[in-house]
Amino acid sequence: MNNQIGDTDTDTDTNVSTDTSTDSQLGATTGVETSTTTTAGESEEQIRDEWTDYRFDSPAKLSVEDLNVWYGDDHALKDVSMEIPEESVTALIGPSGCGKSTYLRCLNRMNDRIKAARIDGSVELDGMEIYDPNTNLVELRKRIGMVFQSPNPFPKSIRDNISYGPRKHGEINKGLLARLFGRDDSEKEAELVERSLRQAALWDEVNDRLDDNALGLSGGQQQRLCIARCLAVDPEVILMDEPASALDPIATSKIEDLVTDLAEDYTVVIVTHNMQQAARISDQTAVFLTGGELVEYDDTDKIFENPESQRVEDYITGKFG
Amino acid sequence: MSEGYAHENELVSAESNLYDRAMDVGIALSITTFVVGMITFADGVSLAATGMELVTFFGILLGVVAGGVGIVAVFSYTNVVPITSQRVRGVALGLLVSLVGLAVAAAALPVSLATMLGLVMIVEAGLLVAAGAGSRFGFVETDPSMSAGLLAGIVFGLLGAAIGAVIVASFPGVPGVIAGVPLWALGGLLFGVGFVVLTVSPREDIGSTVPPALIIGILGATIATAVIGVGWQWTPENLSGGFTGGSVIPVFVLFGSLLSSWSAAKCRADFGARGRQYGAFFVINLNAFLMVAIMAAIVVFVAVKGIGWAFHDFSIGALSLLVVLAPLLVLTVQRARAPAGTDEWHSAARQFFRVLPLAAVGSFAAMLLGIIVTGTPFEIPYQYAILVDRSTVMLDTAFRVTPSLAVGNLLVIVSGTLLFTYFLRRYGSLRDVGIEYERLSPVRQAVPAVIGLLVLLSLVFVGIGPAPGGIPIGPTVGLGLATLGAIVVAALVLAPLGALLTGEGSLAERAHENAQLLNVGLFSGVALLFAVIVLEWTAVSNPQLGPLAPVPTVALLAALVSICLAAFAARARRSTDDTLRHRVLGEEVTLALTAAAGFVTLIGLHVAATSETAFAVGPVEVAIHGSLSWPTVLQGAIPLGQAPGGIYPAIVGTIWIVIGASLFAVPLGLGAAVFLTEYAEQGRFTEVVETATNALWSTPSIVFGLFGAAFLIPRLGNSLSLLAAQLTLAFMLLPLVVITSREAIKSVPDEYRDASAALGVDRWTTIRSVVIPAAMPGVVTGVILGVGRIAGETAPLILVLGSEINATNAIDVLGGFAFTTSPPFITNEALLNSSAALPTQVWGIITAGVSGSTSKGWATAFMLLVVVLSFYAVGIIARTYFRRKINYE
Ligand SMILES: Nc1ncnc2c1ncn2[C@@H]1O[C@H](COP(=O)(O)OP(=O)(O)OP(=O)(O)O)[C@@H](O)[C@H]1O
Ligand SMILES: [Mg+2]
């Protein structure tokens, strides 16, 4: 985690230099937009505001304003502002450790669950501030679903994994009382399970073993199960943290098709390390670079064909990262 | 040791030579002496045995080993379970060789077993030295390290020092002290240093053979030359007891053979890394074997002492035993049906071992049937000793299986419930299969409603009593409703049978089409009849139509019909090739068997719920008092009686104490653990609580007892009471439950919590539906350990419960509940009374020393063991269940 903080482009990672530079940066964040943080291979340059000033016609689903995140003393995300349009796919790319996951977690307040994290700034969903102290987290996370970087199915059956969310939200009743009073929602559950699994391109592989434990699935199947589980709650926004990193090319292309389809009804924000994937599926792309800064945010075509920032160009063409 | 990686060794060296064979024999000899050492330790054979006695002893050992090796060899030869490892073959052969050798030596030499063991140890030592030297001087090719290592050096140094000190100190005519230093200390130091040098400085092949050989040789020589013989005794000045040859020789033998097996194994695997691994393998395994043997010995010892009284006058009807056997039979059938691998892969042997348990249970069942058919009881008469007026009296008694056809309702309920759950769990679903008859859907809806009504009605009767104001409403209403219910159930169950027997198409087609009828009929039948029985119970009604009781009659009829349905479905299943239909019919068989088990259980429940004493069909009856007679376990003490009474009150007391303590401690402890782990800020506070909990767990039990006696008892009616005992033990159990639950909850991965939170599920629901289920196996483990501890806890119970030893009546906790009109609205006299308990009874009997009761004490101890182990078994089953649920198996 040390390599994102350093005064020069040589990869010095002693603790002493880390500490001093952190201090100086803390001071710098309030001042002008300057940056001196680079990784090995990155060239130095100043970030300009207009690089991240992306304009679009449709209404913004999420708008992030001056978001800062600290893990203890570690300033992981610096002054990020960006607006995410409705019913589109937004890709987040950047080198490892630059804060993509951190940023994603801020959007549904999953960072609240990390004790060391301190968040400052504003995130609005449909114009409502989600960092309001009175926010209903349950409702928020129902609306903004998330798929994690590593698959994390519950140690339950496949069916129970999918129906977990709706059942806990009271959408599906399968308890003893419900059965006794004839309000058993088994049918509804079966439909939901099938629909979600089909959406996540998993149905054909597991339809005959829905009662098996989900931990017995392969890594890629588990990830698709997690996507299905997220879809079962019917969110408005779906945050995906490298959902295809554990998948083979065929499953990956299924997920990509799925993401493209989802964009018709949902707003998808997806982190990926795969440039081609970002170029293929996303409508707009945000590039984070080392140090937790949003360097450039624009139409995907623009980012990949004609980026403003030299560092972004270097990153995209594979000079570092 | 090597410069880089030398690959001069062969990857596979299947070829073996004389050296390997010799070392295998050495290992086998060590194992043999180890086992003989254990046997002598347990007085299985006398150390002074000579001549014929000794030959017989070795002959028996040889027979056992030859049998085992022979069977495996036959399997191996016929390629069923091929044993291909040279080492295993070598050791097996070595076992035979060494036992033959020992038997021959016993016949040829006029020496005692002790001397012989000593000689064997000397031989082992010689073998080790020869092997070490052979390797060092290059006669055999091995792969030794530069040195045996510092750890071995320290161990042998310490051993050498001990031996040196003893030798010097026991040498006659040596001055005790030279220049103020005790000579034995000098000797010890000298020997110790010598051994360290001898172990560490030469190459590994010498360093790990010569020092152990010296030690083994010295130990062997002391035994062989009878320096420490059978009659040897040593009473140290500052110790009141003494050591005898009878106990020291086995220890020497065990220790020596452990050492020689290690060293020989190292030699056999050519020293180096492989040698260390093989040597460690033997030390660890023999050690584990010893531990297991010791624990088994304790159990066997108590059992042997107590089993005589415990099974005094035991007798049981053959049919009852069959009922008990039924769940086992089902389990063994399941095991036998499991696929036994592919054809090439030793399937014959697997099949054999899969079927073996079924064959055993089956032949036992056949034997029981034989008893029933021939009408001759099976008896094992035996004698056991009790003390009457300080003199031993032998009592004649017997263990009997009678041809009686009466079965206790409890047995029926337990066995039936087990089978019902088993089949229900195996049953998948029949949803959307077959024809959905139009008349079915009202039935589907009506049955739950009717059941709900019956339950409500039962609750009303619980509230107002069956005969409010002297008007027998309950019995009257019960008569009508129960009879009606029984008739409906009969109709529900007969409908699928009727549909199966009539109609078009083949049997399989009809069975497939009528799946819904079967599904609704059987499930509704079981549920409805259950509700009816609940009503019978609460309304205190037992309808009789002439000589017939409708409810159990219908239950029996339904059980028989279900079995018929299962048989038909099974037959139909055989005749079909269609995979889907095959599966559906399989489900139908399971469903019908589920229902059959359910209906049989309901017969037992009916007998338990009503005032009826038995439900009889011909000679077969389900009765409150079945054919099991087990005075020790089912009766109280008989005051001043000649015949020995039982310990039923103590068993019941212990069970209630454990249940009460667990009911109190487990939810509370789990709750505390959840709070501490999931809600409380991790920091100073949780640390303090954790330390306090750990300290509480290590608090001596007598302290808890004092607390109970001084704090609880004055507040709970001022007398020794069951409730005080339950609470005291609950406090003891609490910390362990907290500690283990906390660990279990902590080890649930955070990913699950994140995943749940990201779905918008609140924290408490997450804990309840994800965290706790995932932590459950760990929690159960803690409860098992804790229950094991409190079930046998004696000291605190003596203080809060007393130590009643001749209780005649068991405490009736369930019957003790009474409702009152003023707070606290529910009271339980029984809980506030003292009770007998197994551990306090053991203590009471042993300290009281009343005539005749030592054997009762042993029997009580034996039953205590059985009760604790049963709780253990229940816990392990629960844990397996939870584990299965969260693991993919
Ligand atoms: N829970 C945490 N506690 C402390 N520091 C953290 C935590 N999570 C992330 N960080 C730090 O924040 C920075 C950004 O991490 P983040 O996980 O957002 O990176 P990322 O861009 O998602 O990287 P990757 O592509 O490898 O997943 C890193 O320096 C990381 O060490
Ligand atoms: Mg990440």
Side-chain angles (χ1 to χ4, degrees):
Chain A
M1 67 148 258
N2 283 327
N3 63 350
Q4 78 270 40
I5 300 165
D7 296 17
T8 61
D9 54 358
T10 54
D11 195 1
T12 52
D13 56 6
T14 56
N15 279 328
V16 181
S17 77
T18 307
D19 285 344
T20 51
S21 62
T22 312
D23 284 346
S24 67
Q25 278 160 18
L26 280 178
T29 47
T30 49
V32 267
E33 286 268 332
T34 55
S35 172
T36 52
T37 46
T38 56
T39 340
E42 272 184 67
S43 54
E44 284 184 52
E45 67 178 355
Q46 302 241 319
I47 297 175
R48 303 228 192 90
D49 268 347
E50 59 266 25
W51 293 353
T52 60
D53 201 10
Y54 171 59
R55 306 215 169 273
F56 46 88
D57 305 328
S58 52
K61 187 77 186 171
L62 284 162
S63 53
V64 179
E65 200 73 45
D66 283 333
L67 192 67
N68 281 287
V69 178
W70 290 267
Y71 290 114
D73 287 340
D74 180 9
H75 198 170
L77 217 54
K78 291 186 199 117
D79 283 330
V80 175
S81 301
M82 95 191 235
E83 304 223 310
I84 296 172
E86 205 172 43
E87 289 171 8
S88 67
V89 179
T90 307
L92 308 180
I93 60 174
S96 184
C98 67
K100 304 179 296 292
S101 300
T102 303
Y103 176 71
L104 207 62
R105 281 202 304 266
C106 286
L107 300 183
N108 66 346
R109 288 191 60 173
M110 283 300 280
N111 269 337
D112 291 17
R113 299 175 49 74
I114 299 175
K115 286 227 176 58
R118 187 159 63 79
I119 299 129
D120 186 28
S122 136
V123 178
E124 286 179 358
L125 172 69
D126 291 332
M128 299 279 283
E129 175 61 48
I130 69 166
Y131 278 94
D132 190 284
N134 298 317
T135 305
N136 179 349
L137 283 185
V138 169
E139 194 52 40
L140 171 72
R141 290 180 187 150
K142 262 161 81 175
R143 290 210 209 156
I144 309 185
M146 183 161 197
V147 177
F148 292 82
Q149 197 160 358
S150 49
N152 54 356
F154 298 122
K156 297 173 184 289
S157 71
I158 295 173
R159 187 197 313 279
D160 286 350
N161 260 284
I162 305 285
S163 61
Y164 178 82
R167 206 186 297 179
K168 299 302 159 190
H169 296 141
E171 316 267 326
I172 287 182
N173 271 316
K174 264 183 66 177
L176 200 63
L177 277 181
R179 278 188 207 192
L180 208 59
F181 293 115
R183 279 206 226 107
D184 185 1
D185 287 336
S186 292
E187 297 292 316
K188 200 167 151 191
E189 182 192 34
E191 265 165 40
L192 177 85
V193 168
E194 179 168 351
R195 178 166 52 79
S196 309
L197 285 173
R198 275 194 198 283
Q199 269 187 315
L202 188 59
W203 173 253
D204 295 336
E205 285 158 65
V206 301
N207 61 14
D208 53 347
R209 45 190 282 213
L210 293 178
D211 289 314
D212 286 6
N213 196 301
L215 296 182
L217 295 177
S218 79
Q221 289 173 329
Q222 290 188 7
Q223 188 63 295
R224 276 176 283 158
L225 178 69
C226 292
I227 295 177
R229 181 176 66 185
C230 169
L231 294 175
V233 188
D234 199 21
E236 297 168 14
V237 181
I238 301 173
L239 310 175
M240 293 183 165
D241 199 343
E242 289 185 60
S245 62
L247 303 188
D248 67 309
I250 296 171
T252 303
S253 73
K254 280 184 192 166
I255 296 285
E256 287 180 9
D257 294 345
L258 162 67
V259 169
T260 322
D261 289 348
L262 288 176
E264 288 174 11
D265 304 311
Y266 304 89
T267 309
V268 181
V269 184
I270 181 168
V271 171
T272 173
H273 274 159
N274 182 334
M275 304 292 169
Q276 286 82 28
Q277 189 176 59
R280 271 197 301 270
I281 60 176
S282 68
D283 300 316
Q284 54 277 335
T285 300
V287 187
F288 288 74
L289 287 183
T290 313
E293 287 159 316
L294 175 61
V295 177
E296 198 163 342
Y297 175 43
D298 215 325
D299 268 332
T300 299
D301 298 342
K302 171 85 168 38
I303 295 279
F304 280 95
E305 276 154 25
N306 186 18
E308 304 276 351
S309 157
Q310 182 59 40
R311 287 197 292 158
V312 169
E313 177 150 14
D314 289 351
Y315 175 67
I316 287 169
T317 52
K319 287 215 180 114
F320 73 91
Chain B
M1 66 158 261
S2 60
E3 292 81 20
Y5 278 86
H7 285 293
E8 72 268 15
N9 288 325
E10 285 172 68
L11 196 56
V12 179
S13 46
E15 231 167 89
S16 72
N17 48 32
L18 193 64
Y19 170 78
D20 287 344
R21 285 288 83 83
M23 289 336 292
D24 281 337
V25 173
I27 294 172
L29 202 58
S30 309
I31 296 175
T32 314
T33 31
F34 189 81
V35 172
V36 174
M38 290 210 317
I39 295 175
T40 55
F41 208 50
D43 281 338
V45 61
S46 158
L47 277 168
T50 53
M52 239 4 252
E53 192 185 348
L54 203 53
V55 175
T56 324
F57 170 68
F58 283 122
I60 292 171
L61 275 188
L62 183 62
V64 172
V65 172
V69 171
I71 286 177
V72 177
V74 168
F75 272 118
S76 176
Y77 183 74
T78 53
N79 221 13
V80 177
V81 190
I83 305 285
T84 45
S85 161
Q86 282 287 351
R87 288 185 195 162
V88 177
R89 290 183 178 193
V91 172
L93 199 68
L95 282 175
L96 292 180
V97 170
S98 43
L99 276 168
V100 169
L102 285 171
V104 169
L109 301 175
V111 293
S112 68
L113 177 58
T115 318
M116 207 151 117
L117 286 173
L119 292 177
V120 170
M121 285 168 74
I122 296 175
V123 171
E124 280 167 1
L127 194 62
L128 289 179
V129 172
S135 161
R136 182 71 189 91
F137 298 116
F139 296 119
V140 281
E141 221 172 275
T142 56
D143 186 21
S145 314
M146 285 300 278
S147 151
L150 206 56
L151 182 67
I154 293 172
V155 170
F156 285 123
L158 289 175
L159 289 174
I163 286 182
V166 170
I167 289 179
V168 171
S170 53
F171 236 84
V174 175
V177 178
I178 291 180
V181 186
L183 202 63
W184 61 264
L186 272 181
L189 191 69
L190 219 65
F191 264 73
V193 173
F195 266 85
V196 172
V197 172
L198 192 58
T199 313
V200 178
S201 69
R203 220 169 69 169
E204 189 197 8
D205 42 8
I206 294 293
S208 58
T209 51
V210 175
L214 276 176
I215 294 174
I216 299 163
I218 292 171
L219 291 180
T222 37
I223 303 175
T225 57
V227 169
I228 293 182
V230 181
W232 179 81
Q233 257 192 348
W234 179 48
T235 319
E237 289 154 28
N238 45 6
L239 216 70
S240 58
F243 298 96
T244 62
S247 62
V248 171
I249 294 176
V251 172
F252 276 19
V253 171
L254 284 176
F255 184 73
S257 41
L258 208 60
L259 213 56
S260 76
S261 72
W262 171 75
S263 185
K266 269 190 119 171
C267 297
R268 170 63 175 93
D270 298 343
F271 306 101
R274 288 209 302 158
R276 278 195 293 278
Q277 139 82 20
Y278 198 38
F281 168 83
F282 270 99
V283 172
I284 292 170
N285 278 288
L286 287 181
N287 213 341
F289 186 50
L290 184 66
M291 294 304 125
V292 171
I294 289 176
M295 290 187 278
I298 294 174
V299 174
V300 169
F301 187 71
V302 174
V304 167
K305 288 269 194 184
I307 209 163
W309 185 312
F311 282 91
H312 176 91
D313 250 354
F314 180 93
S315 98
I316 186 168
L319 191 60
S320 307
L321 261 186
L322 273 178
V323 169
V324 174
L325 219 55
L328 264 183
L329 202 63
V330 170
L331 275 188
T332 47
V333 167
Q334 184 199 352
R335 193 181 152 82
R337 279 165 53 107
T342 54
D343 285 341
E344 315 89 83
W345 182 244
H346 338 315
S347 62
R350 291 192 183 193
Q351 197 72 62
F352 176 73
F353 286 112
R354 292 253 153 81
V355 174
L356 211 54
L358 176 61
V361 175
S363 56
F364 190 45
M367 197 189 95
L368 295 173
L369 280 178
I371 292 175
I372 293 177
V373 172
T374 59
T376 24
F378 169 80
E379 259 189 14
I380 310 175
Y382 66 95
Q383 286 191 320
Y384 70 99
I386 60 168
L387 279 171
V388 177
D389 292 336
R390 298 211 171 76
S391 54
T392 313
V393 177
M394 298 306 281
L395 284 185
D396 281 309
T397 179
F399 179 98
R400 276 187 211 91
V401 180
T402 63
S404 158
L405 289 176
V407 186
N409 59 351
L410 255 175
L411 278 185
V412 172
I413 293 173
V414 171
S415 263
T417 315
L418 281 178
L419 288 176
F420 180 74
T421 345
Y422 172 84
F423 286 122
L424 192 63
R425 284 188 62 83
R426 294 185 65 85
Y427 169 70
S429 98
L430 281 174
R431 194 191 298 157
D432 301 336
V433 177
I435 302 176
E436 181 70 43
Y437 293 106
E438 246 170 54
R439 263 170 286 162
L440 265 183
S441 83
V443 176
R444 257 186 229 275
Q445 284 171 356
V447 168
V450 172
I451 291 175
L453 273 179
L454 287 179
V455 170
L456 271 182
L457 203 58
S458 305
L459 284 179
V460 169
F461 283 124
V462 169
I464 61 168
I471 314 159
I473 301 181
T476 323
V477 171
L479 178 70
L481 284 183
T483 313
L484 203 64
I487 293 169
V488 173
V489 171
L492 279 172
V493 174
L494 284 173
L497 188 64
L500 194 65
L501 294 181
T502 58
E504 319 257 292
S506 70
L507 188 63
E509 278 164 17
R510 274 176 279 152
H512 190 163
E513 279 168 8
N514 291 320
Q516 288 313 312
L517 209 53
L518 192 76
N519 192 357
V520 173
L522 292 186
F523 271 139
S524 316
V526 173
L528 193 59
L529 202 59
F530 180 70
V532 165
I533 289 173
V534 172
L535 183 71
E536 277 188 325
W537 177 47
T538 54
V540 193
S541 107
N542 182 17
Q544 294 279 343
L545 296 181
L548 272 186
V551 176
T553 312
V554 165
L556 181 66
L557 175 80
L560 293 178
V561 170
S562 304
I563 290 174
C564 286
L565 284 168
F568 279 129
R571 242 202 76 191
R573 184 162 178 251
R574 281 187 173 257
S575 67
T576 179
D577 303 327
D578 183 49
T579 31
L580 175 67
R581 177 160 295 162
H582 202 259
R583 211 171 59 88
V584 167
L585 293 182
E587 291 285 325
E588 286 189 8
V589 175
T590 322
L591 172 62
L593 288 175
T594 314
F599 285 120
V600 171
T601 316
L602 289 177
I603 300 179
L605 279 179
H606 167 81
V607 174
T610 58
S611 53
E612 205 167 357
T613 49
F615 168 69
V617 180
V620 182
E621 58 175 10
V622 176
I624 290 186
H625 296 291
S627 54
L628 173 67
S629 147
W630 193 356
T632 317
V633 169
L634 300 177
Q635 282 179 10
I638 301 168
L640 304 176
Q642 262 306 321
I647 52 175
Y648 177 62
I651 295 177
V652 172
T654 288
I655 290 177
W656 276 121
I657 289 172
V658 170
I659 291 178
S662 313
L663 280 185
F664 186 79
V666 173
L668 222 64
L670 189 56
V674 166
F675 170 77
L676 285 173
T677 322
E678 297 283 326
Y679 287 101
E681 187 75 24
Q682 302 299 311
R684 203 26 58 80
F685 171 68
T686 48
E687 260 169 43
V688 169
V689 173
E690 198 161 1
T691 319
T693 334
N694 289 343
L696 207 59
W697 172 239
S698 348
T699 305
S701 58
I702 189 74
V703 177
F704 281 97
L706 284 174
F707 168 76
F711 182 85
L712 291 178
I713 285 187
R715 285 163 180 76
L716 292 173
N718 235 338
S719 69
L720 300 176
S721 72
L722 188 65
L723 186 60
Q726 289 172 336
L727 289 178
T728 309
L729 293 191
F731 291 140
M732 279 182 63
L733 182 57
L734 197 56
L736 187 70
V737 175
V738 174
I739 294 169
T740 47
S741 307
R742 219 179 113 106
E743 286 309 318
I745 292 173
K746 269 194 211 160
S747 68
V748 175
D750 256 341
E751 277 85 49
Y752 297 164
R753 299 186 183 89
D754 283 346
S756 185
L759 289 169
V761 175
D762 61 282
R763 202 185 240 190
W764 169 238
T765 315
T766 303
I767 292 171
R768 226 187 38 203
S769 28
V770 180
V771 177
I772 293 186
M776 217 49 204
V779 175
V780 175
T781 305
V783 176
I784 294 175
L785 287 176
V787 163
R789 182 181 173 195
I790 61 164
E793 198 53 72
T794 320
L797 287 190
I798 292 170
L799 293 179
V800 295
L801 192 67
S803 56
E804 166 103 71
I805 58 171
N806 281 320
T808 50
N809 284 316
I811 201 153
D812 182 11
V813 173
L814 286 185
F817 279 106
F819 299 97
T820 57
T821 46
S822 61
F825 299 113
I826 185 165
T827 60
N828 193 331
E829 215 29 60
L831 282 180
L832 294 178
N833 283 330
S834 165
S835 160
L838 288 167
T840 51
Q841 181 164 317
V842 175
W843 185 83
I845 290 172
I846 302 299
T847 49
V850 190
S851 67
S853 46
T854 356
S855 41
K856 184 173 177 180
W858 281 113
T860 314
F862 172 67
M863 284 319 296
L864 178 59
L865 253 172
V866 171
V867 168
V868 171
L869 291 182
S870 315
F871 276 121
Y872 218 86
V874 171
I876 287 177
I877 291 169
R879 182 169 64 184
T880 319
Y881 167 76
F882 286 120
R883 270 209 191 128
R884 285 255 172 86
K885 244 172 104 175
I886 62 170
N887 285 350
Y888 53 98
E889 276 170 355

